[in-house]
Amino acid sequence: MRHLMSPLDFSVEELDELLTLAQDIEAHPDKYAHACDGKKLATLFYEPSTRTRLSHEAAMLNLGGSIMGFSSADSSSAAKGESVSDTIRTISCYADICAMRHPKEGAPMVACQHSSIPVINAGDGGHQHPTQTLTDLLTILNVKGRLNNMTIGLCGDLKFGRTVHSLIHALVRYTGIKFVMISPEELRLPDYMRHDVLDKQNISYKEVVRLEDAMPELDILYMTRVQKERFFNEEDYVRMKDFYILDKKKMKLAPEDMYVLHPLPRVNEISVEIDDDPRAAYFKQMQYGVYVRMALILTLLDIHVD
Ligand code: CP
């Protein structure tokens, strides 16, 4: 039985297979419409979500399966003090696979140690968000046609942004990847990511504060929101929240084939005036999230469609 805790749980070859499967699902959805008949997905969300929970659910429904779950800790027995390990033992009796989001780093890992069904980490605190990474990789592959030889700008909250941490882990395994980290000093990528992941693997990166300075050299700009829920005080959040606003003026500095991604939700960091720019890929990205989660469910359940 396999779980997904981190993008590193799949080899590069397995990731490539999964992305190819997601592309086939997009091209031939009818072929997969009954692949999970009789299977049940549970979504265990202890933190708010729109895309991740509902795209997992849409994925299972598109495959012919059924869904169950809770969308906040308050509406589960966690509110009465039940542990994650007891909850997952319970869910293992009811469902075939589950996706868990939790505010505490490592909670899905605890779950998978007590589970008899595959567990998908749907985001744990400021740590990892591997299914978002699968979505991001599929989007980059679809818009650029490759995952190698690329300069990726990561902009915004690089300290608390779990999508950024997961994406870096995944991309460093491809060749010719360079990063430009664009953040204010207070929201820099944590030391453990810079030293233990980037420096150790000799990955080329630089850090800049001004988005304008980075734009001309990027193939992909990955915008992120400032993670309000991870700040210890409101004052710091308010000071940081509008540090970056991507608008038409800044987009003029970017190459014609530079695409903008964002895991969403956005707050103010991308002006709605660029939503119609052909380089704005963030709405396609959330659609790709359904295909890639369909591919993930099939892979973890070891279901093959001819
Ligand atoms: N990208 C993402 O995780 O969005 P949600 O918080 O809406 O699930």
Side-chain angles (χ1 to χ4, degrees):
M1 187 177 55
R2 292 190 77 167
H3 308 283
L4 179 68
M5 294 294 114
S6 147
L8 299 180
D9 293 348
F10 287 119
S11 67
V12 172
E13 292 72 26
E14 286 173 324
L15 272 183
D16 289 346
E17 270 176 36
L18 193 134
L19 298 179
T20 303
L21 177 58
Q23 288 175 322
D24 194 59
I25 289 169
E26 181 185 7
H28 309 286
D30 291 350
K31 206 167 105 183
Y32 298 89
H34 296 285
C36 282
D37 279 358
K39 299 287 184 194
K40 294 188 271 298
L41 166 83
T43 48
L44 318 177
F45 276 59
Y46 295 80
E47 253 195 353
S49 167
T50 297
R51 273 148 297 274
T52 310
R53 184 171 67 85
L54 296 179
S55 64
H56 274 98
E57 295 185 357
M60 187 49 125
L61 293 171
N62 290 347
L63 292 166
S66 315
I67 55 170
M68 65 180 79
F70 53 83
S71 57
S72 73
D74 289 350
S75 61
S76 79
S77 284
K80 302 175 211 160
E82 186 167 62
S83 65
V84 163
S85 51
D86 281 359
T87 299
I88 196 68
R89 281 189 185 100
T90 309
I91 301 304
S92 294
C93 301
Y94 305 154
D96 300 286
I97 185 167
C98 77
M100 174 183 283
R101 170 169 289 186
H102 202 287
K104 282 200 183 137
E105 288 84 357
M109 179 62 89
V110 171
C112 79
Q113 287 161 355
H114 298 273
S115 180
S116 55
I117 60 172
V119 178
I120 297 168
N121 177 2
D124 61 328
H127 184 218
Q128 296 260 3
H129 193 345
T131 66
Q132 182 63 49
T133 299
L134 299 179
T135 304
D136 301 340
L137 294 178
L138 181 63
T139 307
I140 297 171
L141 184 63
N142 283 349
V143 297
K144 297 297 285 184
R146 66 184 195 279
L147 289 170
N148 294 316
N149 302 320
M150 218 164 319
T151 301
I152 315 257
L154 301 167
C155 177
D157 187 346
L158 309 188
K159 181 177 179 183
F160 296 116
R162 59 193 173 197
T163 62
V164 166
H165 303 164
S166 281
L167 186 58
I168 291 172
H169 274 292
L171 282 171
V172 295
R173 299 189 296 173
Y174 292 87
T175 55
I177 294 293
K178 295 181 194 164
F179 292 108
V180 183
M181 310 296 178
I182 308 151
S183 76
E185 175 67 27
E186 290 95 324
L187 298 178
R188 272 179 88 191
L189 194 71
D191 285 352
Y192 74 89
M193 288 295 302
R194 278 183 288 122
H195 302 150
D196 299 348
V197 181
L198 298 172
D199 293 342
K200 263 199 185 144
Q201 298 184 61
N202 278 326
I203 305 298
S204 169
Y205 73 94
K206 64 180 175 185
E207 295 181 283
V208 301
V209 174
R210 277 168 43 88
L211 179 54
E212 292 87 333
D213 294 341
M215 292 295 268
E217 63 180 301
L218 302 180
D219 294 298
I220 294 287
L221 172 60
Y222 192 90
M223 293 295 295
T224 62
R225 100 190 138 87
V226 176
Q227 303 273 304
K228 183 179 183 186
E229 62 276 32
R230 317 256 177 250
F231 275 74
F232 292 113
N233 71 69
E234 177 82 10
E235 204 179 293
D236 285 348
Y237 169 71
V238 169
R239 198 161 42 80
M240 291 287 114
K241 75 182 173 68
D242 292 330
F243 202 93
Y244 298 108
I245 298 180
L246 182 64
D247 55 16
K248 274 190 177 169
K249 195 170 158 208
K250 292 194 187 78
M251 283 300 281
K252 284 206 175 99
L253 301 170
E256 283 304 304
D257 60 350
M258 184 212 78
Y259 290 89
V260 182
L261 274 64
H262 190 310
L264 304 178
R266 75 171 146 189
V267 187
N268 288 326
E269 59 280 357
I270 299 181
S271 166
V272 293
E273 71 183 18
I274 71 156
D275 288 354
D276 295 330
D277 188 309
R279 296 168 292 179
Y282 35 90
F283 294 134
K284 279 187 210 154
Q285 190 180 355
M286 66 187 180
Q287 177 63 49
Y288 293 144
V290 177
Y291 306 131
V292 90
R293 289 178 176 111
M294 289 170 74
L296 177 64
I297 290 169
L298 291 175
T299 303
L300 293 182
L301 291 178
D302 201 20
I303 292 172
H304 302 270
V305 176
D306 291 332

